[in-house]
Structure formats: structure tokens, C-alpha cells
Amino acid sequence: MANFSKSHVPQFSVEVYQNEFLPEGGREVNAIVTVTSTGGGTLGGTAASTRTYAPGEGPDAAVVIMVDCSGSMDYPPAKMRNARDATAAAVDTVRDGVAFAVIDGTHVAREVYPGNGRLAVADATTRAQAKEALRKLSAGGGTAIGTWLRLADRLLHSSEVTIRHGILLTDGRNEHESPEDLRAALDACAGRFTCDARGVGTDWAVKEVTGIASALLGTADIVADPAHLTEDFTQMMETAMGKEVADVALRLWTPLGAEIKFVKQVAPTVEDLTVRRTEAGPRAGDYPTGSWGDESRDYHICVQVPEAAVGQEMLAARVSLVLPSPDGGAPRPLSQGLVRAVWTDDMAASTALNPQVAHYTGQAELAQVIQQGLDARKSGDVDGATAKLGRAVQLASASGNEATAKLLAKVVDVVDAATGTVRLKAKVAEADEMTLETRSTKTVRVKK
């Protein structure tokens, strides 16, 4: 495990959970990789958001807050006031030495503070100035989120920092630019900064907000009641302030004849990383994981290996965590684990399901059937929606995912959770349906 020059940068560990035994002719190897970083962030020890630094040792981070100021933010009138208050609370949570800016987002993006294409450095004075500038925010105009993201990217890259983060709040649909424009903006910003996205109220599009967070490796959530924005923004900023290392990649090396079928983050949320691979030398590829503080995440890796005879064994994949070198040199290895394949004629050994693999296969299916069930419900396919959401209830119950089970119970009447027997509710509050859809990818960890 690597040692870093700064004592508060996380140490990484990798644990691999798998059933390495395959039957004769078996080719598919599944493993859950648990990555844990400790000693750097918000969960334990000194919280990064309250830590003080020696002169010249300040945090190497910048954050830009993008606030929706379109006309719809005036309905109800308290919404804009809640957004101003929440942004002020987030500004208060930015720790000394972190570079920051605030953007007013409509059909164009405008710098609210500090202006002139630059970032301010957080201290008591700049935080007070930013909060004063926020008082002038008012609602009016349309929504073109791609312009907000491109301005945030320019501002974040005006500063020589390694950790770049955005926080985006919207209350409406992205109606003043094409989906292609938003997609192009996300493609341009991907890998350049991470971004948490929040939808306030119920007039925004879930797939837009979750798509932004997914593309930029951040979190997405609903704040149905604008009165809860301050609490949510404060928590989001505290988490952002706990990030201590950026651009960590999961590097997978496979031997000749083996290939990666998929790579998914499966905890704390489901995120398919398969298509985000970038080549990293012979038979190796990097998958982005974003920024890390003190936290643990799980990844499901599926490798297809060549057929082999009983008694043979091979290394199916080497899993490493690597940190890019700031000068473009060789990346720094942080930790590694091994995925193995052993061929056996012992049926009991080769058919046993590893509990971690089984659990997360179920959690990934849970996220998928919720999406499919809600889509079917929206299109009027009652039978399809009932079947898919019934399966979701069954999976949530079996895996102990109580948070998702509670959200499902607001959309369906549960007759029997164990068999997935449900009836669609005749009337569902829009906020309840949007909350289920937005949080459908949140998973529970396997019970150790």
C-alpha cells in the first residue's frame, strides 16, 4: 500500500470476494472488489471539513455551485428564497483555502461570485461577500444546463487544483437547449470534474438529473420540499470537502485469452463503468472512480476466461487502484487484488454462489426492474409494471434493502413481499414516484 507525502491523504485497500471454482468448460468468473480508503476524509478521525492546515499546505480543491434561477423558481415564491439560503449554507461549509464560485443558471450561465472568470479563495471575508452577492439572485428566464456546466468547467480549470467538484440545483426540465447540446457538454466535462445534482420540487426530469450525476461521477437526489434544501446542500458540501484525492482509476489487467465482460460499481449505488474504459497498456484498461475521502465502495467485475481442464488454475484478472501522475509520468499504484479461476470436478464447489456476488447481482437487478416497472407504469402497461415492481419488492425484501422497500410501498400495495405479489396503487403522489426513480440505484451492502 502506498504512503503519501501528506499524512491526511487516504490509504487504499482492495479486498476480492469470489468463488474461484469453475466446472469443466466454465468460462465466466465473477468477483466483488471492495475498495476502502481510510485516513483522509470526513468519516472518522479529524473531519476534513473542519481540519486546519499548516501554511502552504492548504487543501488542493475547488468547488462551483450552480443555482437554477429560471422563471419557474418563483413558483412557489419560497423556492428561490430556499435556494438562496441553501447556497449560503453551502458557502459557509466551504473550508478555508478552498477555491469556490457561484453560478446563476438560466438559458445562459452567469457568474454571481466572484466574477471575472475566476475563483475566490474561501475565508471569512470571501464567504461573507459571496452571501451578500446571493441576496441579489432572482428568478427569470429559461433552462440550459449545458451552459452552466461549461462555465463551471472553465472556472474550475482556472485554478491549479487537483480536486474539482460541482454542485448543481435545478427545478425544471432542460427546455432551452437540445438533449444533444447537454450530452455534448457532459462529454466535454466528464473526467474534468465531479458533480452532484439535485432536483427540487417535482417539475424536473429524473433521467436528466441522474444522467448528469452519472456522467460526472457524482450523486443525484430529489429534494421534494424546498424547505429541506439547506440541510441537503450543507451535507453535500461537507462530503465534497472530505474528498482528499481525485481521479483514482480501477485498473484491470487480464492475461492473454481473457476479456472483461463488465465492470459495475454496485455500492453505494449501481453505476455501469464498462464503456468508460480507457486503454492502459497491453491487456490493461482503466475505469474512472472519481474523487475519494474516507469511504468504501464495491465493484462487480465479470471476466471471461479461456476453457481449461479440471485441475488447472489461472490468474483471471489483476485489480489495481492507480493515481495519475501530475507530470504525466507513470501512475502511482495504491493497492491491488487478484481474481483467480480454478477448474474442478467438485460440483458443490463449482456451483456455490459467493454471498457477495449473489447479493450485488440482486441489487443490480433491483435497480433495473424499478426503472422498467416505472417506465411501464408511465406507458400504461399495468401488467408489465405490476410484474416488474413486484419483482423489485421481492428483491428489496430478500436483500434487506429497507429504504427501497419503503419507497416501493408508496407506489404499490404489497400483498406478499416474499413472492413479490403486489397491486399498483390507483393514486401515487408525483414526489413519491420521482423519489423511487431517483433513488432506485441506491444499494445496501452485503451483511458480513
Side-chain angles (χ1 to χ4, degrees), residues 6 59 112 124 143 161-162 174 188 196 243 294 302 315 321 335 372 384-385 387 401 413 421 428 433:
K6 288 187 182 180
V112 176
T143 307
V161 296
T162 57
N174 197 44
D196 294 323
K243 301 297 184 185
D294 264 23
C302 181
L315 176 63
L321 279 168
S335 192
Q372 290 170 341
N401 193 332
D413 291 315
T421 308
V428 176
E433 187 175 1

Side-chain angles (χ1 to χ4, degrees), residues 125-212:
T125 303
T126 56
R127 280 192 288 263
Q129 288 169 349
K131 287 188 288 182
E132 184 62 33
L134 288 172
R135 291 168 62 176
K136 299 176 188 139
L137 285 185
S138 60
T143 307
I145 293 172
T147 66
W148 314 355
L149 293 166
R150 287 181 187 275
L151 177 56
D153 184 43
R154 286 197 298 276
L155 291 171
L156 287 166
H157 280 81
S158 69
S159 183
E160 291 293 318
V161 296
T162 57
I163 297 172
R164 297 181 173 95
H165 191 74
I167 287 177
L168 184 147
L169 172 74
T170 183
D171 82 321
R173 293 164 193 273
N174 197 44
E175 290 173 336
H176 293 84
E177 67 182 354
S178 69
E180 293 73 27
D181 286 341
L182 176 57
R183 183 77 253 163
L186 289 170
D187 289 344
C189 296
R192 290 173 60 81
F193 67 97
T194 54
C195 184
D196 294 323
R198 294 294 183 268
V200 60
T202 56
D203 293 328
W204 48 281
V206 172
K207 286 181 173 61
E208 272 177 7
V209 169
T210 55
I212 290 163

Side-chain angles (χ1 to χ4, degrees), residues 315-333:
L315 176 63
R318 184 186 298 116
V319 183
S320 314
L321 279 168
V322 296
L323 190 62
S325 170
D327 57 9
R332 189 172 2 169

Side-chain angles (χ1 to χ4, degrees), residues 386-387 389-395 397-398 414-422:
T386 305
L389 294 173
R391 175 65 177 150
V393 166
Q394 186 181 31
L395 288 164
S397 169
V414 179
V415 180
D416 183 356
T419 60
T421 308
V422 303

Side-chain angles (χ1 to χ4, degrees), residues 19-266:
N19 175 12
E20 61 223 37
F21 295 106
L22 295 175
E24 187 174 9
R27 297 190 60 196
E28 189 170 288
V29 181
N30 286 278
I32 299 298
V33 176
T34 296
V35 178
T36 305
S37 70
T38 51
T42 53
L43 308 175
T46 309
S49 50
T50 57
R51 184 182 292 117
T52 53
Y53 291 85
E57 195 219 5
D60 189 14
V63 62
V64 172
I65 307 168
M66 293 159 267
V67 187
D68 190 336
C69 292
S70 61
S72 55
M73 285 293 286
D74 250 348
Y75 306 97
K79 201 194 287 183
M80 194 70 231
R81 187 180 71 243
N82 290 136
R84 280 194 297 265
D85 291 347
T87 307
V91 166
D92 272 335
T93 313
V94 177
R95 68 174 181 239
D96 283 353
V98 171
F100 77 103
V102 181
I103 289 172
D104 158 346
T106 58
H107 51 285
V108 292
R110 188 177 64 86
E111 295 172 47
V112 176
Y113 182 82
N116 300 323
R118 61 200 170 84
L119 298 164
V121 175
D123 59 25
T125 303
T126 56
R127 280 192 288 263
Q129 288 169 349
K131 287 188 288 182
E132 184 62 33
L134 288 172
R135 291 168 62 176
K136 299 176 188 139
L137 285 185
S138 60
T143 307
I145 293 172
T147 66
W148 314 355
L149 293 166
R150 287 181 187 275
L151 177 56
D153 184 43
R154 286 197 298 276
L155 291 171
L156 287 166
H157 280 81
S158 69
S159 183
E160 291 293 318
V161 296
T162 57
I163 297 172
R164 297 181 173 95
H165 191 74
I167 287 177
L168 184 147
L169 172 74
T170 183
D171 82 321
R173 293 164 193 273
N174 197 44
E175 290 173 336
H176 293 84
E177 67 182 354
S178 69
E180 293 73 27
D181 286 341
L182 176 57
R183 183 77 253 163
L186 289 170
D187 289 344
C189 296
R192 290 173 60 81
F193 67 97
T194 54
C195 184
D196 294 323
R198 294 294 183 268
V200 60
T202 56
D203 293 328
W204 48 281
V206 172
K207 286 181 173 61
E208 272 177 7
V209 169
T210 55
I212 290 163
S214 172
L216 302 181
L217 297 173
T219 63
D221 208 352
I222 179 173
V223 186
D225 182 351
H228 295 150
L229 271 175
T230 294
E231 177 190 345
D232 188 85
F233 262 47
T234 304
Q235 193 176 11
M236 237 191 317
M237 188 61 85
E238 279 175 354
T239 303
M241 291 299 99
K243 301 297 184 185
E244 296 278 350
V245 58
D247 299 329
V248 177
L250 195 65
R251 175 166 293 181
L252 298 184
W253 175 90
T254 47
L256 199 62
E259 63 173 283
I260 303 293
K261 288 187 75 176
F262 65 76
V263 179
K264 292 176 187 171
Q265 178 184 290
V266 286

